[in-house]
Amino acid sequence: MRIVIQRVTHASVSIEGKVKSKIGKGYMILVGICSEDTEEDIKWLVKKIIGLRIFEDENGVMNLSIQEVGGDILVVSQFTLMASYKKGNRPSWIKAAPHSISIPLYNQFCKELEEALGKPIGTGEFGAMMQVELLNDGPTTICMDTKNKE
Protein backbone atom coordinates (compact mmCIF):
# COMPACT_ATOMS: atom_id res chain seq x y z
CA MET A 1 0.00 0.00 0.00
CA ARG A 2 1.13 3.50 -0.75
CA ILE A 3 -0.26 6.50 1.02
CA VAL A 4 0.25 10.23 0.88
CA ILE A 5 -0.56 12.01 4.14
CA GLN A 6 -1.09 15.75 4.01
CA ARG A 7 -1.50 17.74 7.21
CA VAL A 8 -4.40 20.07 6.49
CA THR A 9 -6.35 22.88 8.09
CA HIS A 10 -9.39 21.57 6.19
CA ALA A 11 -10.21 19.19 3.35
CA SER A 12 -13.21 17.89 1.45
CA VAL A 13 -14.10 15.43 -1.28
CA SER A 14 -16.95 16.02 -3.72
CA ILE A 15 -18.64 13.77 -6.25
CA GLU A 16 -20.70 15.28 -9.07
CA GLY A 17 -20.63 18.66 -7.36
CA LYS A 18 -21.88 17.41 -3.97
CA VAL A 19 -19.64 17.27 -0.90
CA LYS A 20 -19.39 13.66 0.30
CA SER A 21 -17.06 14.29 3.26
CA LYS A 22 -15.26 17.21 4.84
CA ILE A 23 -12.92 17.64 7.77
CA GLY A 24 -11.24 20.38 9.74
CA LYS A 25 -7.69 20.18 11.08
CA GLY A 26 -6.15 16.78 10.48
CA TYR A 27 -4.96 14.44 7.73
CA MET A 28 -5.99 14.12 4.12
CA ILE A 29 -4.83 10.61 3.15
CA LEU A 30 -4.63 9.29 -0.41
CA VAL A 31 -4.43 5.47 -0.62
CA GLY A 32 -3.13 3.25 -3.42
CA ILE A 33 -3.44 -0.54 -3.19
CA CYS A 34 -1.52 -3.22 -5.10
CA SER A 35 -2.34 -6.92 -5.49
CA GLU A 36 0.29 -8.02 -2.96
CA ASP A 37 -1.10 -5.90 -0.12
CA THR A 38 -2.46 -7.64 2.98
CA GLU A 39 -4.10 -6.94 6.31
CA GLU A 40 -0.59 -6.77 7.81
CA ASP A 41 0.09 -3.76 5.60
CA ILE A 42 -3.07 -2.13 6.95
CA LYS A 43 -2.09 -2.74 10.56
CA TRP A 44 1.40 -1.30 10.00
CA LEU A 45 0.05 1.82 8.28
CA VAL A 46 -2.68 2.47 10.86
CA LYS A 47 -0.15 2.25 13.69
CA LYS A 48 2.20 4.65 11.86
CA ILE A 49 -0.55 7.11 10.98
CA ILE A 50 -2.01 7.32 14.47
CA GLY A 51 1.44 7.58 16.09
CA LEU A 52 2.86 10.08 13.60
CA ARG A 53 3.89 13.26 15.43
CA ILE A 54 3.63 16.07 12.89
CA PHE A 55 1.45 18.59 14.69
CA GLU A 56 3.15 21.45 16.48
CA ASP A 57 3.31 21.63 20.26
CA GLU A 58 3.33 24.84 22.32
CA ASN A 59 6.97 25.42 21.29
CA GLY A 60 6.29 25.14 17.56
CA VAL A 61 7.96 21.72 17.34
CA MET A 62 6.31 18.86 15.43
CA ASN A 63 5.72 16.71 18.46
CA LEU A 64 2.00 15.91 18.67
CA SER A 65 -0.07 13.11 17.13
CA ILE A 66 -3.45 13.40 15.46
CA GLN A 67 -5.13 12.09 18.62
CA GLU A 68 -3.35 14.62 20.82
CA VAL A 69 -4.71 17.52 18.75
CA GLY A 70 -8.19 15.99 18.29
CA GLY A 71 -7.70 15.97 14.52
CA ASP A 72 -9.87 14.52 11.78
CA ILE A 73 -9.00 12.17 8.92
CA LEU A 74 -10.27 12.08 5.35
CA VAL A 75 -9.29 9.01 3.28
CA VAL A 76 -9.59 8.88 -0.52
CA SER A 77 -8.73 5.88 -2.69
CA GLN A 78 -6.30 6.76 -5.47
CA PHE A 79 -5.13 3.96 -7.75
CA THR A 80 -2.87 6.42 -9.59
CA LEU A 81 -0.44 6.20 -6.67
CA MET A 82 0.48 2.78 -8.07
CA ALA A 83 1.50 4.25 -11.45
CA SER A 84 4.45 2.76 -13.29
CA TYR A 85 6.18 5.47 -15.32
CA LYS A 86 9.44 3.83 -16.37
CA LYS A 87 8.54 3.28 -20.03
CA GLY A 88 7.28 6.11 -22.20
CA ASN A 89 5.16 9.01 -21.05
CA ARG A 90 1.83 7.33 -20.46
CA PRO A 91 1.70 5.75 -16.98
CA SER A 92 0.71 2.13 -16.59
CA TRP A 93 -1.70 1.09 -13.83
CA ILE A 94 -0.74 -2.60 -13.97
CA LYS A 95 0.48 -2.52 -10.34
CA ALA A 96 -2.88 -1.29 -9.00
CA ALA A 97 -4.96 -4.08 -7.47
CA PRO A 98 -8.23 -5.07 -9.15
CA HIS A 99 -11.47 -4.09 -7.39
CA SER A 100 -11.88 -7.62 -5.97
CA ILE A 101 -8.74 -7.03 -3.87
CA SER A 102 -8.63 -3.27 -3.44
CA ILE A 103 -12.20 -2.57 -2.30
CA PRO A 104 -12.11 -4.97 0.69
CA LEU A 105 -8.63 -3.74 1.70
CA TYR A 106 -9.66 -0.08 1.36
CA ASN A 107 -12.78 -0.68 3.48
CA GLN A 108 -10.74 -2.56 6.10
CA PHE A 109 -8.12 0.22 6.17
CA CYS A 110 -10.81 2.85 6.77
CA LYS A 111 -12.49 0.73 9.46
CA GLU A 112 -9.26 0.08 11.35
CA LEU A 113 -8.15 3.70 11.04
CA GLU A 114 -11.50 4.86 12.41
CA GLU A 115 -11.24 2.44 15.34
CA ALA A 116 -7.68 3.54 16.12
CA LEU A 117 -8.59 7.24 15.90
CA GLY A 118 -11.60 6.69 18.13
CA LYS A 119 -14.05 8.65 15.99
CA PRO A 120 -15.57 8.57 12.51
CA ILE A 121 -13.39 9.44 9.53
CA GLY A 122 -14.42 10.94 6.21
CA THR A 123 -14.07 8.99 2.98
CA GLY A 124 -14.47 9.39 -0.71
CA GLU A 125 -16.26 6.83 -2.87
CA PHE A 126 -14.20 4.00 -4.24
CA GLY A 127 -13.93 4.16 -8.03
CA ALA A 128 -15.79 7.46 -8.38
CA MET A 129 -14.47 10.55 -10.15
CA MET A 130 -13.83 12.85 -7.19
CA GLN A 131 -12.73 16.40 -6.64
CA VAL A 132 -10.52 16.84 -3.60
CA GLU A 133 -10.04 20.24 -2.05
CA LEU A 134 -7.61 20.93 0.78
CA LEU A 135 -5.44 23.50 2.45
CA ASN A 136 -2.10 21.85 3.17
CA ASP A 137 -0.77 23.11 6.51
CA GLY A 138 2.97 23.71 6.49
CA PRO A 139 3.04 22.39 3.85
CA THR A 140 3.52 19.04 5.50
CA THR A 141 3.29 15.97 3.26
CA ILE A 142 4.55 12.47 4.02
CA CYS A 143 4.60 9.44 1.73
CA MET A 144 4.56 5.89 3.09
CA ASP A 145 4.89 2.60 1.25
CA THR A 146 4.46 -0.73 3.02
CA LYS A 147 6.98 -2.26 0.61
CA ASN A 148 9.61 0.09 2.06
CA LYS A 149 9.16 -0.09 5.84
CA GLU A 150 12.76 0.64 6.72
Side-chain angles (χ1 to χ4, degrees):
M1 293 177 83
R2 286 184 186 156
I3 65 170
V4 175
I5 301 171
Q6 296 180 82
R7 187 181 74 183
V8 299
T9 58
H10 65 271
S12 66
V13 61
S14 299
I15 302 166
E16 296 182 5
K18 295 182 182 177
V19 174
K20 167 126 180 14
S21 297
K22 65 180 180 175
I23 64 167
K25 178 179 182 175
Y27 294 153
M28 168 67 220
I29 302 176
L30 304 172
V31 181
I33 299 170
C34 75
S35 295
E36 294 81 33
D37 290 330
T38 67
E39 288 187 22
E40 289 306 311
D41 294 309
I42 292 170
K43 292 182 188 321
W44 184 83
L45 279 175
V46 167
K47 184 177 178 183
K48 283 291 189 184
I49 292 165
I50 295 300
L52 195 61
R53 299 182 331 178
I54 61 171
F55 290 95
E56 294 179 357
D57 64 16
E58 64 279 354
N59 299 315
V61 177
M62 287 188 190
N63 201 28
L64 300 176
S65 71
I66 187 115
Q67 289 179 310
E68 291 171 309
V69 298
D72 299 319
I73 296 177
L74 175 59
V75 177
V76 174
S77 63
Q78 189 171 3
F79 76 94
T80 60
L81 287 177
M82 303 312 295
S84 176
Y85 44 83
K86 293 186 182 198
K87 288 185 175 181
N89 292 322
R90 184 176 183 273
S92 166
W93 317 116
I94 194 80
K95 292 182 181 181
H99 283 187
S100 61
I101 294 172
S102 55
I103 291 173
L105 286 175
Y106 171 78
N107 289 336
Q108 185 68 29
F109 174 72
C110 291
K111 179 182 177 219
E112 290 191 26
L113 192 55
E114 192 169 81
E115 288 172 1
L117 184 62
K119 65 181 182 179
I121 64 170
T123 62
E125 182 178 313
F126 197 95
M129 178 62 81
M130 297 173 272
Q131 293 73 47
V132 177
E133 201 170 315
L134 60 98
L135 183 59
N136 192 315
D137 183 25
T140 302
T141 302
I142 296 177
C143 300
M144 293 184 187
D145 190 324
T146 58
K147 305 302 181 257
N148 187 19
K149 294 179 184 174
E150 297 175 18

